[in-house]
Amino acid sequence: MSTLRMTSDLRRQLILGAAKRCFARHGYNGTTTKSVAAAAAISEALLFKHFPSKAALYAEILSDECEADPALMDLLEREPSTATLVELIRGMVQHFLEIADGPDQEEAQRLRLMATSHLDDGEFARLLYEKIKMLIGAVFVASLERAVAAGDARACGGEPLNLFWFAHHTVMTAALTRLPSVHCLAYGAANDLERQLCEFLLRGIGLNDAAIASHLGHQLAPGADKTAIAESA
């Protein structure tokens, strides 16, 4: 049984390796499950035993790439805390703004694919959201709970993970406005946008101004200390 599992795992990795080469060469739209199967020297039927669709293949590749990112893995291995929560949000904002403003066309195409999926059958978006939830969800929720316990945030009245999704949707939409060569919306200087987005999202998930100022490294706004005391009382 163990040998069979090893063989299955190896086959899965070979399929993913072939799929990465196909997607890199032809892009998402130009790649088919038939071409991936041919590159992996297997039948399309065997490919479907491991991955039910092209979207599932692509989502798995993106998940693997996230897990191979040492900076993200280092962050996710930190003790849950207000600082970890702030860095999760800051990292998400930086990631999306770099996609929109950077030269990496592959990342930009992925963002377009995510947007298109919402308007189509939603399969790719559902798969990717599930991967993100498995990777980040528990750390976000635990860090938010620690922030509440420390008096840095107000308690959430509903499902705490929804706050992460609201933040994710907000910054993804902001990035989409900047994908065309002529931006759909002029937000202003990139550094100012990053700061504003971080502060907006952190307030939205319940952090008080004192905690935000402390962990983002900005000057404490007048009266923020009083606000923090009132909110933690």
Side-chain angles (χ1 to χ4, degrees), residues 19-36:
K20 288 177 185 178
R21 294 192 298 274
C22 290
F23 286 128
R25 188 176 299 116
H26 306 293
Y28 182 82
N29 292 330
T31 298
T32 64
T33 51
K34 184 174 291 186
S35 66
V36 172

Side-chain angles (χ1 to χ4, degrees), residues 166-211:
F166 298 155
H168 185 278
H169 302 336
T170 299
V171 73
M172 183 171 71
T173 302
L176 285 171
T177 69
R178 301 168 68 82
L179 275 184
S181 56
V182 178
H183 295 171
C184 304
L185 186 62
Y187 281 115
N191 288 342
D192 289 341
L193 176 58
E194 180 183 321
R195 174 185 55 78
Q196 282 188 305
L197 263 174
C198 286
E199 290 180 351
F200 178 81
L201 297 176
L202 290 168
R203 288 191 181 102
I205 64 179
L207 264 68
N208 57 50
D209 285 349

Side-chain angles (χ1 to χ4, degrees), residues 10-19 21-22 33-44 46-47 57:
L10 178 59
R11 178 67 68 191
R12 185 181 178 88
Q13 290 306 312
L14 289 173
I15 293 170
L16 285 173
R21 294 192 298 274
C22 290
T33 51
K34 184 174 291 186
S35 66
V36 172
I42 61 172
S43 68
E44 194 174 13
L46 182 55
L47 183 149
L57 258 175

Side-chain angles (χ1 to χ4, degrees), residues 5-80:
R5 271 203 303 271
M6 289 288 288
T7 302
S8 178
D9 290 344
L10 178 59
R11 178 67 68 191
R12 185 181 178 88
Q13 290 306 312
L14 289 173
I15 293 170
L16 285 173
K20 288 177 185 178
R21 294 192 298 274
C22 290
F23 286 128
R25 188 176 299 116
H26 306 293
Y28 182 82
N29 292 330
T31 298
T32 64
T33 51
K34 184 174 291 186
S35 66
V36 172
I42 61 172
S43 68
E44 194 174 13
L46 182 55
L47 183 149
F48 285 139
K49 287 185 178 180
H50 294 272
F51 300 96
S53 66
K54 182 171 72 169
L57 258 175
Y58 199 58
E60 188 71 22
I61 288 171
L62 295 188
S63 177
D64 284 353
E65 288 180 359
C66 287
E67 292 179 8
D69 182 346
L72 177 59
M73 289 301 102
D74 176 67
L75 178 58
L76 294 179
E77 289 169 1
R78 292 186 191 180
E79 186 73 18

